[in-house]
Amino acid sequence: MASTIATLTKTSTGFKGVLTTLMLKAPIEFQANVRKANDKAPDFRVVASNNGFELGAAWIKQARSTGEEYISVSLSAPELNGVMYGNLAAAPGGKEDEFVLIWNRRN
């Protein structure tokens, strides 16, 4: 089962929005990784907007079945009690600059 844990708006340098769980509500930004040193380095750094705390990274990937691009996200902070994985997807409703972060539970 997947759940929406953030709503974001596309910006000129990445994405900006709010990460929300039952225990946490934090403004976040996906900032383009301008210092990407190699193909395995993340395409975005995920930071808390209010204090700059880096809580994750994101990579642009391509779906094997459809060839479409998507953004794979990994978040980690003490409040999250481990690593959270998710995908950034277009928000329901079809607005071009609105996105949601979908949590992918790892078994």
Side-chain angles (χ1 to χ4, degrees):
M1 183 174 143
S3 300
T4 298
I5 58 170
T7 54
L8 301 114
T9 303
K10 190 169 184 152
T11 68
S12 61
T13 58
F15 302 87
K16 189 174 190 170
V18 179
L19 174 67
T20 306
T21 69
L22 291 174
M23 304 292 281
L24 176 70
K25 187 172 185 175
I28 61 170
E29 292 180 36
F30 284 52
Q31 299 174 345
N33 183 6
V34 296
R35 297 181 186 185
K36 184 173 176 160
N38 59 57
D39 289 342
K40 294 187 181 205
D43 295 293
F44 298 94
R45 298 283 183 197
V46 183
V47 299
S49 302
N50 57 348
N51 61 14
F53 177 76
E54 188 168 331
L55 57 127
W59 295 260
I60 298 172
K61 297 196 173 199
Q62 192 170 30
R64 288 185 208 132
S65 59
T66 65
E68 290 188 42
E69 282 190 348
Y70 68 97
I71 298 176
S72 176
V73 182
S74 174
L75 303 175
S76 181
E79 297 84 352
L80 299 176
N81 196 26
V83 178
M84 281 181 115
Y85 299 97
N87 293 321
L88 200 59
K95 289 189 178 178
E96 198 172 304
D97 62 342
E98 291 184 0
F99 293 82
V100 291
L101 179 56
I102 308 295
W103 170 47
N104 294 328
R105 177 180 216 122
R106 303 287 176 160
N107 295 329

